Amino acid sequence: MGTMRIARPFYSALVLSILGLSAPTLAQPVATASAKSCPTNPDELGAMIDELKGTFECSGLNLRECNEYRAGLIGGGVAASVAAGIGAYKARPGLMACLMPGRTVSSLNSILKDEAEGRPVWAMLALGFFGPMAESAPSSCRFPTKELGKEFRDMSDEHFRESKAIRGEMLDRIMAQKAPDALKKIEVSDAEVRKQFVDGLDQLERQVRADTTGKLAVHKQWMLDDIAKLKAQYRTAGGYADMVADFGKFSANFNLQGKTEFIDAETLKKLRVWDMRDTIRAEKIANLSDPALKAAYQKALLELDTFADMSQMSGKAAYLKGLGYSPDFVERMVSAEGVRRNLQLRGSLLQGAAHDLNYGQLKGKAFLDQKELAQFARQRSLQFFDHPITRWGHMPGINNGVVQSVAKAGRAAMAKISSVAAGDLAGMAKYGLKGIGFVGSKAFAAVSETAFHMGDVHCGGGNPGQFVTIAYDSDKERCAASNERSDLTDAFLFGLSRDEQLKEIQQTNGTCEMLMGLHARYSPSQNWNLSCEGGEATLSGIGEDGSGQMIKFNTEGGMPNDVRWFSDDFDACAKVSFKEDQVEYADVYKYDSGGVCGGGQAIRMTEGAALSRAATRNQRQLMRQFSNWQKHNSFAMASAAGCCQGESTGFCPEGLSSGGPSKVRTNRSRGTTK
Amino acid sequence: MEICRKEYVGRMFSRLIFLGIFALSMAKQAIAKPIWDAQSETAFVELLCADESYFRKCFEVTQPVCRKTLRQAVKKCAGVTKGVTEMIPLHTKMGLCVGARVEKSWSDRKSASTDCRNREKWQ
């Protein structure tokens, strides 16, 4: 019971912490409130949270209600805490300016995660709050996009590390089943990993104790406590799976980021426990003399990639069970995957929320009309709209509530979004703007007024946090995609300039000419093959589960630097039409993947405001249409721009040039429906 | 002397009135009017019906149903905030009422998962 009593105020404290509020400031009248600087000292933060805990213990509830709360009706408690946080926000909107400066967030994060079992609840909540509240935010508010972006990256990294550790364990199991001889030669025992890591912790402990600068550990005792916990965990772990079971939690407490420059290389190497298996194994593989054993290892790696590419949780679970993992472990893994996806999704919302706060308040209303949108676009054009590779996950024309709905991929909401987005794009075109278009919730292409052609089909899709770069690999004569998310997501989250973004991409992909893709699944091994003959581009070899279909956009009208936008796993496509000299989307093909990559039924909708009504009315019929499409396993789209049209883009295999009217056809190995 | 006292009383009276008006205006400025409005409701419903939230994870409900039920519960719980003069208690009461009501009404849809019986998991 004691812990329960703590839980609720903690939650409330968490909410308030997110909002930059504290108990003492809450006691002040709104009128006299001023944005004061947020504390950065961990002790001060801890004290603040303690105070909040006290303040919110059954705040405002009578004895009966308080008892009811404590009695454990979970729903009531959860809802009360959330509502209390909202109330706190509303009581103190003036403190928005003090919203989560990076350092404070980092400190809070480490404190809060400890109590919240490593779950970055605050971040989830923050995003939930920022959206709905954005319109009422004071004009002086600044959303710390960059800092928060980093926090998201850190969180994702933690899950990445956990996944990586588990991956090493899985590799062992695969090889134990399929190549036991090879495994014997390269096996990395738990004891080896444990020894290295505990050695590293010992070394670090000595360094922390000796550190007088505070650079290694601002709060020395906490760091030492964490080290002690980690050592105990790793010394007593029964096996590697047990060792990594709480890895997320520990790595969250023990975040090495920002400390690496103060720790010597040898210690650091030993502390990277998530890399330890790979490190030790790499040494062993290098010493293998038998090529057959090396090949067996490579094959096991490929199988792991296949596993990583599976988008269906049930498939993943079955695979893990097949490798002999316990049901508990499987559940944990699948749950971790869910968290990862959620993080990615939430990360994508970040951009939208940021834009809400920074720009959405421009007019203080949810939807800007076309003229206002155009004015806004002009105003920002130098910074954003002229960038062929700038990606917008959100725009002031689409309000935060809609974005939230997008994240959840509700079908009705999606229909609504499509209509809004089409309106946005039409509005931009009307005013002759270059810009980023939207279909569905997503930015999908850099367009200009000359880029609209009757009959073009524009598509969009994906979560804004998901990127893929596609480059033509001349050695392998194919288009290779690299969608390691961090390379590019950061570029956008961190608000890099266009040149910086390009540099980022070039570093990622060498000298290949680049294409930008949207909405790829996060998968380290996803590749696409492209053939381009007779002006027809055919994309094949896309995800085993049917995801990864790509649509080529119209790129006529000047997309500089040969940066073209592609998309796989689109959510919506629309056919360009004209009405009274205005561009309008005559048809919107909505392809609702239900928030999961690949698959889904498409809904064709009619134009304008009737989109969502039409979707409802025609849904069944349209589902049948698209079911046929799936059956035929291909989808031809009329597009004015061909893969090989015009100048060499680097995307087409050498020797091929433009043909006649072109099509993009996607071949899918297997469709999924949802 | 009598005149002086009258003047004094009159001066004090007008000062008191002034102070009263001033205090009232300050109070109006100083205290944010507690209110559960559309914004509160939107944030509340969105957070509680998010994919990873307790209500979505522990009950077999779709998001639209979740939203609809919560909004209905908010209407039914409007009475609990009567007379509450502070923002946080007002919201807390509303949340408690709505959450408890929804929990009860969905009791037959609740997952058997142990996580869904563990309050700390969702705090």
Side-chain angles (χ1 to χ4, degrees):
Chain A
M1 208 58 204
T3 52
M4 285 184 183
R5 280 204 307 277
I6 289 169
R8 180 179 168 274
F10 164 70
Y11 191 88
S12 299
L14 195 60
V15 170
L16 293 180
S17 302
I18 293 161
L19 301 170
L21 302 174
S22 68
T25 54
L26 274 170
Q28 295 169 15
V30 171
T32 58
S34 59
K36 65 173 191 175
S37 61
C38 297
T40 53
N41 181 324
D43 290 336
E44 203 179 332
L45 286 167
M48 187 179 91
I49 290 167
D50 285 343
E51 280 182 31
L52 286 167
K53 283 177 182 173
T55 306
F56 282 88
E57 176 68 16
C58 278
S59 169
L61 304 181
N62 62 33
L63 190 61
R64 182 187 58 75
E65 290 167 333
C66 192
N67 284 337
E68 186 186 346
Y69 174 81
R70 288 175 172 168
L73 262 182
I74 300 175
V78 169
S81 298
V82 167
I86 295 168
Y89 175 89
K90 289 173 76 79
R92 308 290 296 162
L95 288 180
M96 282 288 286
C98 185
L99 200 68
M100 301 207 306
R103 198 170 158 202
T104 305
V105 173
S106 297
S107 308
L108 270 177
N109 206 13
S110 60
I111 297 167
L112 299 177
K113 274 182 175 175
D114 191 32
E115 294 195 47
E117 297 181 334
R119 286 181 296 131
V121 187
W122 64 266
M124 305 294 175
L125 277 172
L127 290 173
F129 272 112
F130 291 149
M133 297 297 179
E135 286 160 35
S136 66
S139 58
S140 59
C141 286
R142 185 189 75 85
F143 189 95
T145 315
K146 194 169 176 178
E147 292 88 340
L148 198 57
K150 182 179 179 309
E151 292 301 319
F152 270 95
R153 192 182 63 169
D154 289 350
M155 286 191 294
S156 300
D157 283 352
E158 284 153 17
H159 287 279
F160 169 72
R161 289 173 195 168
E162 183 175 17
S163 302
K164 195 163 183 180
I166 293 168
R167 184 181 154 97
E169 149 76 11
M170 283 178 65
L171 188 65
D172 279 0
R173 292 193 181 221
I174 293 168
M175 292 188 69
Q177 284 183 355
K178 299 185 176 172
D181 291 340
L183 178 61
K184 279 177 196 163
K185 302 271 186 188
I186 62 166
E187 194 167 22
V188 179
S189 70
D190 293 343
E192 287 173 275
V193 173
R194 184 184 291 132
K195 183 182 179 310
Q196 290 289 314
F197 188 53
V198 174
D199 278 356
L201 287 172
D202 284 338
Q203 288 172 17
L204 180 65
E205 187 178 342
R206 284 194 290 277
Q207 290 178 29
V208 170
R209 287 188 190 283
D211 175 42
T212 54
T213 64
K215 286 178 180 171
L216 204 52
V218 175
H219 205 83
K220 191 183 275 192
Q221 192 53 48
W222 291 2
M223 182 77 154
L224 292 171
D225 289 348
D226 278 345
I227 292 172
K229 276 187 206 168
L230 277 166
K231 280 203 282 193
Q233 166 88 357
Y234 278 75
R235 279 185 177 135
T236 57
Y240 197 68
D242 287 341
M243 275 201 257
V244 299
D246 286 327
F247 198 85
K249 180 179 174 182
F250 281 110
S251 62
N253 293 337
F254 189 70
N255 193 343
L256 288 174
Q257 286 205 350
K259 300 190 181 101
T260 51
E261 61 183 297
F262 308 116
I263 302 173
D264 69 87
E266 190 205 351
T267 305
L268 207 55
K269 185 180 168 189
K270 289 181 175 179
L271 290 174
R272 293 186 193 281
V273 67
W274 53 89
D275 280 335
M276 196 73 73
R277 274 180 178 274
D278 287 350
T279 306
I280 301 172
R281 197 190 297 272
E283 289 167 9
K284 294 187 177 189
I285 290 166
N287 293 330
L288 280 179
S289 53
D290 184 351
L293 295 182
K294 280 189 178 174
Y297 173 72
Q298 293 300 331
K299 202 174 169 189
L301 280 179
L302 281 176
E303 190 157 337
L304 264 184
D305 289 343
T306 305
F307 170 79
D309 280 350
M310 289 179 188
S311 65
Q312 297 294 329
M313 292 296 177
S314 56
K316 287 202 163 186
Y319 187 86
L320 288 168
K321 281 176 190 162
L323 286 177
Y325 284 102
S326 70
D328 277 355
F329 185 81
V330 172
E331 190 184 339
R332 215 159 48 222
M333 270 288 284
V334 171
S335 162
E337 173 77 359
V339 169
R340 185 188 63 70
R341 288 184 178 191
N342 192 37
L343 269 180
Q344 197 159 309
L345 196 62
R346 299 284 172 164
S348 73
L349 277 178
L350 168 68
Q351 288 174 293
H355 294 153
D356 272 343
L357 276 176
N358 291 333
Y359 313 121
Q361 59 191 278
L362 188 69
K363 290 287 174 185
K365 59 183 182 181
F367 293 89
L368 304 180
D369 64 29
Q370 290 188 358
K371 191 175 174 186
E372 289 167 329
L373 180 69
Q375 284 170 346
F376 176 81
R378 277 208 182 95
Q379 188 184 329
R380 311 301 300 186
S381 63
L382 284 178
Q383 288 165 281
F384 298 103
F385 285 89
D386 210 25
H387 288 188
I389 57 169
T390 294
R391 182 95 193 282
W392 284 62
H394 190 45
M395 244 182 123
I398 301 174
N399 82 344
N400 46 62
V402 175
V403 168
Q404 290 199 356
S405 302
V406 175
K408 289 146 196 163
R411 288 189 178 86
M414 296 280 281
K416 182 181 171 190
I417 291 157
S418 290
S419 68
V420 173
D424 287 344
L425 198 60
M428 290 167 67
K430 181 181 174 185
Y431 290 94
L433 294 164
K434 291 182 179 180
I436 306 298
F438 289 80
V439 174
S441 62
K442 314 300 186 301
F444 69 93
V447 295
S448 72
E449 63 272 31
T450 58
F452 289 89
H453 297 271
M454 180 71 91
D456 288 357
V457 177
H458 293 174
C459 297
N463 299 321
Q466 293 172 286
F467 282 92
V468 55
T469 55
I470 305 163
Y472 179 66
D473 183 334
S474 55
D475 289 340
K476 295 176 184 170
E477 293 188 344
R478 69 174 187 187
C479 296
S482 159
N483 51 0
E484 288 285 354
R485 75 193 184 289
S486 58
D487 298 329
L488 291 165
T489 306
D490 283 358
F492 291 90
L493 285 180
F494 279 65
L496 300 181
S497 69
R498 182 186 164 209
D499 286 345
E500 288 169 327
Q501 290 174 21
L502 279 171
K503 195 175 164 192
E504 191 87 11
I505 295 165
Q506 281 157 2
Q507 281 172 350
T508 308
N509 293 279
T511 56
C512 289
E513 287 192 69
M514 244 58 64
L515 297 148
M516 285 293 299
L518 309 179
H519 196 195
R521 289 175 304 153
Y522 170 49
S523 158
S525 64
Q526 198 168 4
N527 290 317
W528 290 275
N529 293 317
L530 175 84
S531 67
C532 185
E533 294 174 16
E536 183 175 273
T538 302
L539 298 159
S540 59
I542 304 165
E544 282 299 307
D545 58 0
S547 63
Q549 60 273 32
M550 300 169 80
I551 303 300
K552 191 176 192 309
F553 297 118
N554 177 10
T555 56
E556 273 190 81
M559 293 186 63
N561 299 332
D562 278 334
V563 176
R564 314 270 161 130
W565 292 81
F566 278 74
S567 171
D568 70 323
D569 193 13
F570 57 94
D571 283 334
C573 293
K575 189 180 285 187
V576 171
S577 181
F578 292 93
K579 190 175 181 181
E580 295 172 2
D581 295 331
Q582 290 181 36
V583 174
E584 187 169 275
Y585 283 106
D587 296 296
V588 175
Y589 296 86
K590 239 186 56 49
Y591 194 91
D592 179 6
S593 63
V596 178
C597 300
Q601 70 271 20
I603 305 162
R604 181 176 177 275
M605 291 175 290
T606 55
E607 62 189 299
L611 281 173
S612 68
R613 288 199 303 276
T616 309
R617 195 169 59 244
N618 296 329
Q619 193 164 1
R620 286 188 179 180
Q621 180 195 343
L622 296 167
M623 279 169 66
R624 277 198 296 277
Q625 286 176 3
F626 275 82
S627 173
N628 282 336
W629 163 63
Q630 287 185 329
K631 209 176 287 176
H632 289 104
N633 211 26
S634 67
F635 184 33
M637 299 187 70
S639 173
C643 167
C644 309
Q645 210 158 29
E647 62 187 341
S648 168
T649 62
F651 185 71
C652 305
E654 216 165 311
L656 290 172
S657 59
S658 61
S662 61
K663 292 175 182 175
V664 171
R665 192 175 65 219
T666 60
N667 284 347
R668 310 175 64 214
S669 55
R670 189 174 71 238
T672 55
T673 55
K674 187 177 182 296
Chain B
M1 199 64 185
E2 185 64 25
I3 294 168
C4 285
R5 190 182 296 148
K6 276 184 182 171
E7 278 179 358
Y8 175 75
V9 170
R11 222 178 289 139
M12 282 303 290
F13 184 70
S14 41
R15 277 182 189 168
L16 281 172
I17 289 178
F18 173 77
L19 283 172
I21 293 170
F22 178 75
L24 195 67
S25 66
M26 285 303 288
K28 276 184 181 172
Q29 280 183 359
I31 301 166
K33 190 183 171 189
I35 186 169
W36 177 276
D37 58 9
Q39 234 174 27
S40 298
E41 188 169 317
T42 302
F44 182 67
V45 171
E46 287 301 327
L47 285 168
L48 292 181
C49 292
D51 288 345
E52 299 299 316
S53 72
Y54 165 74
F55 286 105
R56 293 294 310 289
K57 282 284 186 186
C58 291
F59 297 90
E60 277 184 37
V61 287
T62 61
Q63 197 165 61
V65 168
C66 177
R67 285 178 175 154
K68 190 178 172 188
T69 308
L70 278 168
R71 285 187 192 282
Q72 284 170 346
V74 165
K75 280 192 180 67
K76 287 177 181 167
C77 287
V80 302
T81 61
K82 273 184 187 163
V84 184
T85 55
E86 290 175 68
M87 190 75 86
I88 298 168
L90 182 143
H91 280 72
T92 311
K93 276 174 182 270
M94 175 63 91
L96 184 64
C97 174
V98 170
R101 183 181 278 270
V102 172
E103 169 101 28
K104 282 175 190 166
S105 71
W106 287 347
S107 58
D108 56 337
R109 303 182 186 194
K110 188 157 182 175
S111 159
S113 156
T114 50
D115 279 353
C116 293
R117 311 280 162 190
N118 177 4
R119 223 174 97 155
E120 285 183 73
K121 177 88 183 167
W122 305 99
Q123 297 286 355

